[in-house]
Amino acid sequence: MKEKEDTIIERKKGGSKGLTAPTVIGLCALVLIAIMVIAAVLSSVSWGSVADIGGSSDNGALVYDVLPDSITDIEGYSSGLVMLTDTALVYLDSNGKNLSSNSHQYSQPVMVKGGSTVLLYDKGGASFRIEKNSKIYNTYTTANPITVATVDKKGNYAYVLNDDGGFQSHLYVYSYKGKKLFEWGSSQDYCISTALSDNGKNIAVSMLGVKNGEYVSKVIFFNFRSGEPVYTAEFPDCTVFRLEFLSGKNVAAFTDNGIYVIDKSGTTHKRMEYSPAEIMHSAVADKGLSAVALASHGNTKDSLLNVFDKRMNSSFILEYDSEIMNVRASDKYTAVLLGDRIETFNSKGEKIGCIEIDEKCTDAAFAGRKLFVFTVSGIYRFDTFGDYDLTELREEETTGEFLTEEKTVSEETTEETTAEETTAEEASVYEETTQNSVEETTAAATFG
């Protein structure tokens, strides 16, 4: 029996008609008015970028105090946070107020964020959903298990099914309106990761297969208008576990033995080399910084942090004599988690903050200039710029509460003493006034 080949499945052409000229002009006018209104409001603000605004309240405030055992992932969302738990996607504003809590029943939930859109899928299951602006937009059921999925800033999404339609890996790409943009199937290789371009025209997939008795990873680049792959780049004896679009058609490939940039012709350029035993953690910000934490020669007491700019050029390197527990990156900042301490750096490698926490911190997320820190007791909010000691902050809060209670008791005691010292004359006046009031009320009732 002839084996099925890798195939691009073309979609049928056609669709709804484009917008008419009067409609386009009307929409443009509305957009222009909205821009003018926003500009007028912001003109009185001299803070610069709203996302970068920090405040005195970002000093270690506890924004989520429920035991976080069930939290599996956190990401910055607008000026707040989106959290994935075993049972729900929870959206918090910058003060920790619950904006929305959308329950799910996925056994292996995975969250992928693109702008204000979040794609939640059940890895190994047959269901996923799209959420926009913290609300459930749509829920989908697939015919076979989902291996991986992704979403871009525009809301376009892609997912790969295992053993579907005669393919080992079956890729589907849709627009945010639900229109199929692309379909492709691989008969032998297993898809590990995908990445969508910002222009909504391209997708890159990393495939794991076997060639000449050895396993090999392939990065395949597609343009939705073409019937053939634009290029295929091979990575022998390694696994490409993450893909990220850079400027234009350049793609960054994160592997277990190095980082590469693939240009539009499919040529690979090595940016960094390491062994599978050395890589510990990695973080990538969309069109921002990327960071990779290594244990030199497998020794966690001799750690390196390598930070790259948005074009994957080396920005700076840091050395530590302790284990790096995790790392997070944004468009401007990097956070290094060192057990009970977090250090923050700007894009030049200058240290801009240090947060001392007397408990284990496992994760963090940037939302503009805010840094949300996930610990064993909850989630705390800090300004990225500044040095903080959470133990001292807690003591200050406790002292403040004590003084408030003491002041309240003192005020109550003063009021009681004043009441006891009320003169007989004041009491007499009060009694006389009360008696007159009663007589007036009785007379009024009799008259009625």
Side-chain angles (χ1 to χ4, degrees):
M1 183 176 178
K2 188 178 179 180
E3 193 173 50
K4 195 166 185 177
E5 298 179 350
D6 295 1
T7 308
I8 292 177
I9 302 94
E10 294 187 4
R11 57 185 175 85
K12 295 181 180 180
K13 295 182 178 180
S16 59
K17 297 180 179 180
L19 295 175
T20 62
T23 304
V24 173
I25 294 173
L27 289 175
C28 291
L30 289 175
V31 171
L32 181 60
I33 293 173
I35 292 173
M36 292 173 65
V37 171
I38 294 172
V41 173
L42 294 181
S43 63
S44 60
V45 180
S46 58
W47 296 318
S49 174
V50 175
D52 284 343
I53 297 172
S56 58
S57 61
D58 297 319
N59 59 351
L62 180 64
V63 298
Y64 191 80
D65 60 355
V66 178
L67 290 178
D69 296 341
S70 65
I71 299 176
T72 59
D73 193 12
I74 62 173
E75 292 287 347
Y77 190 85
S78 184
S79 61
L81 200 67
V82 56
M83 303 185 303
L84 173 61
T85 75
D86 293 338
T87 58
L89 266 182
V90 181
Y91 297 84
L92 305 177
D93 68 9
S94 59
N95 296 315
K97 179 182 178 182
N98 191 320
L99 299 175
S100 181
S101 182
N102 306 327
S103 62
H104 68 78
Q105 296 181 337
Y106 297 165
S107 58
Q108 296 186 66
V110 179
M111 173 179 67
V112 186
K113 187 176 75 72
S116 61
T117 303
V118 176
L119 187 150
L120 179 68
Y121 70 96
D122 191 6
K123 189 176 182 65
S127 182
F128 71 96
R129 75 185 188 211
I130 303 292
E131 300 192 6
K132 294 177 181 288
N133 300 315
S134 76
K135 306 298 180 184
I136 297 177
Y137 177 74
N138 212 341
T139 301
Y140 307 86
T141 301
T142 59
N144 288 291
I146 303 170
T147 58
V148 67
T150 190
V151 65
D152 65 17
K153 288 183 176 181
K154 295 181 179 179
N156 302 323
Y157 58 93
Y159 60 91
V160 179
L161 303 183
N162 182 41
D163 193 19
D164 179 74
F167 297 105
Q168 174 67 30
S169 295
H170 199 168
L171 169 70
Y172 297 88
V173 184
Y174 288 86
S175 72
Y176 69 97
K177 293 182 178 180
K179 179 182 178 181
K180 185 188 290 186
L181 300 176
F182 188 73
E183 186 178 354
W184 175 76
S186 176
S187 61
Q188 296 180 339
D189 298 338
Y190 188 83
C191 185
I192 297 177
S193 66
T194 64
L196 285 164
S197 63
D198 285 345
N199 61 11
K201 298 179 180 179
N202 308 302
I203 188 169
V205 297
S206 66
M207 311 295 295
L208 185 62
V210 177
K211 183 177 181 180
N212 299 327
E214 297 182 351
Y215 83 93
V216 60
S217 288
K218 293 185 292 186
V219 174
I220 308 176
F221 187 101
F222 295 101
N223 181 279
F224 300 156
R225 295 182 180 180
S226 174
E228 298 293 334
V230 177
Y231 65 74
T232 299
E234 292 191 356
F235 297 86
D237 197 29
C238 74
T239 302
V240 180
F241 62 84
R242 183 164 187 167
L243 296 172
E244 288 290 331
F245 266 90
L246 305 178
S247 58
K249 296 182 179 180
N250 292 343
V251 176
F254 292 78
T255 81
D256 57 358
N257 66 10
I259 299 176
Y260 301 81
V261 171
I262 311 171
D263 63 27
K264 61 182 180 180
S265 67
T267 303
T268 60
H269 307 270
K270 184 181 292 185
R271 289 291 192 263
M272 183 180 181
E273 186 175 8
Y274 46 76
S275 70
E278 290 180 309
I279 184 170
M280 295 186 292
H281 308 283
S282 64
V284 181
D286 184 42
K287 301 298 180 293
L289 302 177
S290 299
V292 177
L294 302 175
S296 298
H297 307 291
N299 180 12
T300 57
K301 300 300 182 181
D302 184 10
S303 302
L304 291 175
L305 178 74
N306 293 261
V307 179
F308 302 85
D309 63 19
K310 63 182 181 180
R311 292 182 176 84
M312 290 307 299
N313 295 315
S314 181
S315 182
F316 61 90
I317 298 176
L318 300 173
E319 297 182 3
Y320 290 94
D321 57 4
S322 60
E323 182 177 359
I324 297 176
M325 306 304 296
N326 208 341
V327 61
R328 280 289 192 162
S330 73
D331 58 339
K332 297 179 180 179
Y333 314 116
T334 303
V336 187
L337 282 66
L338 303 163
D340 59 355
R341 187 176 87 255
I342 298 177
E343 295 181 353
T344 55
F345 299 86
N346 62 18
S347 59
K348 297 179 181 179
E350 299 168 340
K351 188 176 179 180
I352 56 176
C354 182
I355 303 169
E356 298 283 349
I357 301 179
D358 60 346
E359 59 188 54
K360 182 180 180 181
C361 47
T362 58
D363 204 353
F366 283 103
R369 186 167 144 167
K370 296 181 178 66
L371 180 67
F372 293 88
V373 178
F374 177 24
T375 76
V376 295
S377 65
I379 296 177
Y380 298 84
R381 184 190 63 231
F382 295 91
D383 185 354
T384 301
F385 288 77
D387 297 333
Y388 306 94
D389 187 327
L390 194 57
T391 303
E392 293 181 358
L393 292 172
R394 286 170 176 168
E395 291 176 352
E396 290 175 2
E397 290 177 357
T398 303
T399 304
E401 291 173 359
F402 174 77
L403 290 175
T404 300
E405 292 175 358
E406 185 178 44
K407 180 179 179 180
T408 302
V409 172
S410 176
E411 289 175 350
E412 290 177 352
T413 303
T414 303
E415 290 175 358
E416 290 176 359
T417 303
T418 303
E420 290 175 357
E421 292 177 352
T422 302
T423 61
E425 182 178 354
E426 291 173 333
S428 177
V429 172
Y430 173 80
E431 183 177 356
E432 181 180 353
T433 303
T434 304
Q435 181 64 31
N436 292 339
S437 177
V438 172
E439 290 175 354
E440 291 174 357
T441 303
T442 303
T446 303
F447 179 80

